[in-house]
Amino acid sequence: MEENYKNESMVDIAYKLLKESDRVMSFQEIYKNVSDKLDLTPQERMAKMSQFYTNLSLDGRFVNCKNNEWNLRENVSYENAHQSLNDYYADIDEETIANTDTEELDDEEKEAMDIDKGDDEDKDYDSSKEEDL
């Protein structure tokens, strides 16, 4: 007899699925199996996919093992599950350093930038306002 999944959350079903399979699965494979177990219509599948992906990403029991393949955290060693943010920041630094694009400003934009700098030397202002203070 097929187990009744109607009262379970999608991520709980995904957890059971990965636990039973004991292997890495693509998101598409997980979602198809979970949707089949819940007997979702094509419209429901489309409507629930992004929320399921978000829930899967936020649930600490799951690990994205690159290329949108998922496994249970309990099956993955710390070294393979932990992604150092230094790798991401290094990529950003390289992109920033390599960015040599310069924006050309027209005369109006250059004037606006000079005004925004706050150079008081070139500004004429009404000194009578200071006396009111």
Side-chain angles (χ1 to χ4, degrees):
M1 184 175 142
E2 182 69 21
E3 188 173 345
N4 185 2
Y5 293 99
K6 295 290 181 189
N7 295 323
E8 294 190 54
S9 72
M10 294 178 83
V11 291
D12 286 340
I13 297 170
Y15 179 81
K16 286 181 179 179
L17 176 68
L18 284 168
K19 186 81 169 169
E20 291 170 4
S21 72
D22 198 31
R23 66 181 177 86
V24 174
M25 296 175 87
S26 70
F27 174 77
Q28 290 81 6
E29 185 178 3
I30 294 169
Y31 191 66
K32 180 184 181 326
N33 282 298
V34 169
S35 299
D36 288 346
K37 289 183 186 301
L38 290 172
D39 198 28
L40 299 179
T41 66
Q43 293 82 8
E44 290 173 320
R45 289 175 190 240
M46 289 300 295
K48 294 183 178 196
M49 186 184 300
S50 62
Q51 185 62 52
F52 174 69
Y53 188 88
T54 300
N55 293 342
L56 195 69
S57 298
L58 296 175
D59 192 310
R61 299 176 291 177
F62 302 94
V63 175
N64 186 340
C65 301
K66 296 185 181 178
N67 297 326
N68 210 14
E69 295 182 327
W70 294 81
N71 202 347
L72 297 178
R73 184 170 299 280
E74 62 198 50
N75 296 338
V76 180
S77 67
Y78 176 80
E79 292 79 21
N80 292 334
H82 177 73
Q83 296 178 355
S84 173
L85 293 179
N86 290 334
D87 297 338
Y88 297 109
Y89 291 128
D91 290 345
I92 291 170
D93 290 342
E94 289 173 11
E95 290 174 11
T96 303
I97 292 169
N99 186 4
T100 57
D101 292 344
T102 56
E103 182 180 349
E104 292 185 24
L105 303 175
D106 62 24
D107 292 336
E108 289 178 12
E109 291 172 322
K110 288 178 185 176
E111 282 181 30
M113 288 180 68
D114 287 339
I115 291 172
D116 291 340
K117 288 182 183 177
D119 294 334
D120 289 338
E121 299 170 354
D122 297 334
K123 291 184 181 178
D124 292 330
Y125 59 92
D126 187 1
S127 61
S128 64
K129 290 181 183 177
E130 285 182 359
E131 294 170 6
D132 294 337
L133 298 175

